[in-house]
Amino acid sequence: MVRLRNVLSAALAAGLGAAVLTSCTADPTPTNVTVAWADSTRQEVRVSWKDSDAPNRITIEGVLSTSPTYVKFLPASEPNTWKIPASEFPPDGTYKVSVGVGTSTEGMSSKLASSPVFDTEGPVRPNGATATPVGRRDVLVRWTVPPQPQDFSPNDPLDVTGASQSYVPVVGRPGQPLRAAGPATTSTRQVIKSLKPPYLFQLRAQNEWSTAIGGQLSARVSSTGATVPALTQYGVPVRIRGRTILQEVICADEGSCVQQRSTSAGLPLVVLTQLTPGARWTPAARGKTTAGGHYDIPIAAGASRPYKVLMPGYSQVGTAAIRSTSRPQLMQTVVRPVSTGFVGGAMKKRGETITAVLVVQPAMNTTVYLQAWNRQARKWVGVKALPMRKGQAAFAFKLAKPGIYVYRFVIPNATMLGRPLLGRVSKNLSLSVR
């Protein structure tokens, strides 16, 4: 009995549905539904159609896209045309506008007629922004735009020919919100006035349907610190260490932009030195920052001279930075003994010729002094002033009395390339005479 009741209910429902469908399509279907831009601003889409002065319902239908919830009812007294704001069409979809006869209270009384299909593809997102200084305060910003994607509804009634996509340059500075920095342009380059780092640059790409953000460029300022050894031996490798810190601008979707620290690996660095007082600064070594912006660059110490570390300014796709230099610091150099001692060793016979030798770097010409330790007086006494040529000095002598003797060389201060070269005392040279 229950099964029979279900069958009868289904049949009754089918009959009623057919009756309702017949009543809903009693009025003639509108014809000639067209869409076009309302004016040159392309802010509204004008829909037009023909019917017998009936009330109408206008909807937007998605074609392989989700239909938006847009419904407009017009009384019969209104003309057969209506303007739909472009913002009512979801971007990057395919749609049609449908018109039927009906009211909000009585429902539809005709079939729907639809316009030709059209797409709402938004602008192509720009990328590859670079900055080049122009004059003292202005910046030329260039960007690239990928090719337009394939149009799957070519020559639809709302397609716009020519350069319909424009770009509004937007700049964010510390303590300020993102603001337009110039008028919209269809070009891919623009000079921005009075643009000084740090700042964040963006492009708002616009077309008739929507806006896309792209072409971001972060222009940073930098600071470089260095630690230079104050004293080292001539020709001995030393290391210059320090850190380069960048300051960049970060902008949230809402609110002011803020400046924050950024430490990057891979930043190029140049160690500069001044060979002689007043000379131009020239490269002595090169390196790069590691994690945290730190660096550790080896150099071979020459004559006494100042050093500083430069991070060159750079501009590449998406980022730019202003150069910075550490303060100059003088590294003084001490003469370096390469070899010192006695020819043939420190064991001699009395009356044998003994030759004391000294070899230093740099290969300098000067006068050095050989001294001996006087045990009775408990002090060093001079033995001989020796000419040094090309960094080498030697003195031959004989001792008649057996014993243990101690000598040393004294290398005085000198001048090299216009700056002091610090002298030094060699290690003690013990000599055994039997």
Side-chain angles (χ1 to χ4, degrees):
M1 188 67 181
V2 173
R3 181 177 179 83
L4 178 61
R5 182 180 299 169
N6 290 341
V7 172
L8 291 174
S9 298
L12 180 60
L16 290 175
V20 171
L21 180 61
T22 302
S23 65
C24 286
T25 57
D27 289 325
T29 302
T31 61
N32 295 340
V33 180
T34 62
V35 289
W37 291 109
D39 53 43
S40 60
T41 64
R42 296 190 286 274
Q43 299 296 308
E44 296 175 309
V45 174
R46 178 185 289 111
V47 185
S48 301
W49 62 94
K50 292 182 180 179
D51 65 10
S52 55
D53 297 328
N56 298 114
R57 188 189 75 162
I58 304 167
T59 57
I60 301 172
E61 293 189 63
V63 180
L64 301 179
S65 302
T66 302
S67 299
T69 57
Y70 180 86
V71 179
K72 179 64 181 179
F73 288 94
L74 292 180
S77 59
E78 293 291 327
N80 292 340
T81 183
W82 180 250
K83 294 179 182 179
I84 303 176
S87 59
E88 295 290 345
F89 297 88
D92 303 321
T94 305
Y95 302 95
K96 60 184 178 181
V97 177
S98 296
V99 180
V101 176
T103 65
S104 59
T105 56
E106 298 179 1
M108 298 297 296
S109 59
S110 78
K111 295 181 179 179
L112 292 176
S114 299
S115 72
V117 172
F118 56 90
D119 63 70
T120 61
E121 299 298 328
V124 178
R125 192 182 307 276
N127 54 31
T130 60
T132 304
V134 178
R136 299 182 61 183
R137 301 184 64 185
D138 302 339
V139 174
L140 170 62
V141 182
R142 299 182 178 92
W143 57 92
T144 59
V145 182
Q148 291 281 347
Q150 181 179 355
D151 188 351
F152 291 99
S153 59
N155 302 316
D156 73 47
L158 298 179
D159 273 352
V160 177
T161 59
S164 65
Q165 182 165 315
S166 63
Y167 311 94
V168 177
V170 178
V171 172
R173 294 182 173 91
Q176 301 177 10
L178 285 164
R179 293 176 179 172
T185 178
T186 57
S187 174
T188 56
R189 53 185 288 163
Q190 191 167 34
V191 174
I192 311 299
K193 299 292 185 180
S194 301
L195 192 57
K196 181 180 179 181
Y199 61 82
L200 180 69
F201 175 89
Q202 290 179 346
L203 288 164
R204 291 177 182 166
Q206 301 174 339
N207 72 354
E208 59 273 17
W209 293 115
S210 58
T211 299
I213 302 298
Q216 183 163 300
L217 169 67
S218 177
R220 305 162 176 172
V221 293
S222 65
S223 60
T224 300
T227 300
V228 177
L231 195 66
T232 188
Q233 294 187 71
Y234 185 93
V236 172
V238 297
R239 310 189 78 86
I240 295 180
R241 297 179 173 90
R243 191 182 190 191
T244 295
I245 295 174
L246 303 177
Q247 298 286 340
E248 63 182 1
V249 175
I250 302 297
C251 299
D253 293 336
E254 298 180 0
S256 296
C257 301
V258 296
Q259 181 173 314
Q260 71 176 24
R261 174 180 291 186
S262 169
T263 52
S264 301
L267 296 175
L269 299 170
V270 183
V271 179
L272 300 174
T273 189
Q274 198 176 40
L275 298 179
T276 58
R280 62 187 294 267
W281 290 87
T282 56
R286 298 180 184 273
K288 292 183 178 180
T289 58
T290 58
H294 298 278
Y295 64 85
D296 185 342
I297 304 175
I299 65 169
S304 300
R305 59 187 59 153
Y307 292 89
K308 62 182 179 181
V309 178
L310 164 70
M311 191 212 78
Y314 65 88
S315 179
Q316 57 195 41
V317 173
T319 181
I322 299 299
R323 61 181 286 168
S324 61
T325 309
S326 67
R327 63 179 182 85
Q329 299 176 59
L330 178 65
M331 183 166 64
Q332 288 193 301
T333 303
V334 181
V335 173
R336 177 170 64 93
V338 177
S339 176
T340 181
F342 302 102
V343 176
M347 301 287 291
K348 302 295 181 182
K349 296 178 181 180
R350 60 181 178 176
E352 183 181 355
T353 299
I354 304 165
T355 303
V357 176
L358 173 66
V359 179
V360 302
Q361 286 289 335
M364 55 195 295
N365 297 327
T366 187
T367 298
V368 299
Y369 302 91
L370 181 64
Q371 294 180 339
W373 177 250
N374 187 312
R375 290 187 176 85
Q376 287 75 29
R378 301 184 62 81
K379 66 178 182 180
W380 292 97
V381 296
V383 174
K384 185 70 174 178
L386 305 172
M388 172 175 278
R389 296 294 179 264
K390 296 182 179 181
Q392 299 181 17
F395 177 63
F397 60 98
K398 295 180 180 181
L399 292 173
K401 185 178 179 180
I404 302 297
Y405 300 86
V406 180
Y407 296 89
R408 72 179 186 181
F409 285 99
V410 177
I411 309 162
N413 294 340
T415 299
M416 186 177 184
L417 299 178
R419 293 192 180 93
L421 177 66
L422 302 182
R424 65 180 301 160
V425 177
S426 74
K427 66 179 181 179
N428 293 347
L429 306 174
S430 182
L431 177 66
S432 176
V433 177
R434 63 183 188 275

